[in-house]
Amino acid sequence: KDVETLGLLKVDFLGLSTLTVLRRAAELVERYHGERYTLDNIPLDDPAIYRLLAEGNVTGVFQVEGAGMRRMLRDMRPNRFEHVVAAIALYRPGPMEYIPTYIKRLHGEEPVRFRHPALEPILAETYGIIVYQEQIIQIARDLAGYDAGEADTIRKAVGKKIKAELVKHRTTFVEGAAANGIARPIAEGIFDDIETFARYGFNKAHAADYAVIVCQTAFLKAHHPVEYATALLSVDRDDTAKIAVVAADSRRQGIALLPPSVDASDLDFVIEGLDVEATDDASGTRRSIRFGLAAIKNVGEGQSRAIMAARADGP
């Protein structure tokens, strides 16, 4: 906390190998299909993204590969970007208990209720459930007359369980809401909700950033499964367990993983049957992925390069 106490800004930078997977997959798609994808032009509204997520076909898709998340997506059947943002924020200790309520309300199986009509514009997108920290700030501003800076102190006090601050905020919030014509018992109930949800509230901006990458990886997997699997395997070539998972998923999709070959293998995994746009061409050859030499245990990059250099003299 020293940096913050000094008034300095602390920024956390997270390195994601997924970004390398996206870049490699996009390079392969451009090489074999002539379509150029970047982090700025992969669409987030393509129906294929949401079909893939709803089916739970998420091996290799950023953040949502786990069994629990897969189950939630199958139940949720997301059909737009906002649903993915909510899924990222809800699937963590605490808010997980509200996932069944969110899903029922999403599908119209349970009515959406608001403690006060003024909450509807703030909580409508999450079906009356406080999911994001930003919603807490907005509730404090719109219902209790806090300014933005003061509203953020509620989020901090609840998130860090600062008891003295909470007692003070409860009084300020209820009085501010009452001044705006909200009955005290309702204002008390709203503050109770804030205390309950804010302990686990997630930053919406962070969830949205992650949801973008979820949708981008899902898009490439849905439309270009061979290129996407090849990129995944190459980036994770040193992780035997991950290779086994992606290989099994590829086989399930009908993509063959060919064994390593001193004549045909590259350093990384490569696609064979490159002239084929669809899964099969007229001759019946399939697009396959050839195992990379550097992914073989105890071979390594140096020996792989030596083998590849020797091929200049013939097979």
Side-chain angles (χ1 to χ4, degrees):
K1 296 180 182 176
D2 296 343
V3 168
E4 196 177 341
T5 306
L6 288 168
L8 298 173
L9 175 67
K10 179 175 76 73
V11 185
D12 297 336
F13 289 95
L14 179 64
L16 295 176
S17 62
T18 307
L19 297 177
T20 308
V21 173
L22 280 167
R23 176 176 56 77
R24 286 196 175 207
E27 286 168 355
L28 290 168
V29 170
E30 186 173 10
R31 189 189 309 170
Y32 303 131
H33 302 285
E35 300 170 72
R36 180 165 172 73
Y37 288 115
T38 69
L39 293 177
D40 298 319
N41 72 357
I42 297 174
L44 303 179
D45 57 355
D46 188 292
I49 293 170
Y50 302 101
R51 278 197 301 275
L52 183 130
L53 295 175
E55 289 165 2
N57 180 16
V58 289
T59 300
V61 177
F62 180 64
Q63 280 282 302
V64 298
E65 287 187 86
M69 184 66 96
R70 194 183 299 241
R71 237 183 348 263
M72 181 184 73
L73 289 171
R74 282 189 184 131
D75 292 341
M76 184 184 279
R77 304 190 300 281
N79 57 40
R80 63 175 190 261
F81 180 70
E82 288 76 13
H83 296 161
V84 182
V85 180
I88 295 289
L90 283 166
Y91 196 80
R92 55 200 62 252
M96 283 177 82
E97 66 183 271
Y98 304 109
I99 290 172
T101 303
Y102 178 94
I103 290 172
K104 282 178 189 166
R105 292 180 178 184
L106 166 65
H107 296 309
E109 295 163 5
E110 181 182 295
V112 179
R113 296 185 181 91
F114 303 96
R115 283 190 184 269
H116 190 275
L119 288 171
E120 187 166 352
I122 303 168
L123 301 182
E125 71 163 312
T126 51
Y127 306 100
I129 301 167
I130 300 173
V131 174
Y132 308 119
Q133 292 176 355
E134 289 88 339
Q135 289 173 319
I136 294 160
I137 293 168
Q138 201 176 345
I139 289 168
R141 287 175 60 187
D142 295 2
L143 275 69
Y146 280 66
D147 67 31
E150 290 170 334
D152 193 44
T153 61
I154 286 195
R155 179 193 63 78
K156 281 184 181 174
V158 180
K160 294 177 181 177
K161 301 179 181 66
I162 307 168
K163 198 146 194 167
E165 289 283 314
L166 284 173
V167 172
K168 190 174 77 177
H169 274 301
R170 177 178 282 278
T171 304
T172 308
F173 182 91
V174 172
E175 285 176 1
N180 283 336
I182 297 169
R184 281 180 176 273
I186 292 173
E188 291 273 359
I190 293 168
F191 196 85
D192 288 342
D193 287 346
I194 288 174
E195 278 201 74
T196 301
F197 289 101
R199 264 174 288 169
Y200 315 111
F202 200 62
N203 180 295
K204 185 183 182 184
H206 184 104
D209 274 346
Y210 268 20
V212 168
I213 305 174
V214 171
C215 291
Q216 288 172 332
T217 52
F219 175 89
L220 288 175
K221 176 167 182 171
H223 288 285
H224 301 285
V226 178
E227 285 79 7
Y228 190 69
T230 304
L232 267 177
L233 289 162
S234 293
V235 171
D236 291 329
R237 73 184 190 197
D238 296 325
D239 190 326
T240 312
K242 281 190 179 178
I243 285 176
V245 169
V246 177
D249 185 61
S250 298
R251 283 194 292 273
R252 187 185 57 75
Q253 296 178 84
I255 304 165
L257 186 59
L258 304 176
S261 158
V262 291
D263 283 324
S265 288
D266 208 320
L267 194 68
D268 283 323
F269 292 77
V270 292
I271 300 169
E272 293 192 4
L274 307 182
D275 56 326
V276 189
E277 280 263 344
T279 308
D280 300 287
D281 69 3
S283 65
T285 54
R286 298 174 72 82
R287 298 186 80 208
S288 308
I289 302 171
R290 175 70 69 178
F291 207 94
L293 291 174
I296 304 168
K297 271 200 168 186
N298 302 320
V299 173
E301 198 164 316
Q303 292 92 323
S304 299
R305 290 192 186 280
I307 290 168
M308 290 163 65
R311 295 201 299 241
D313 301 326

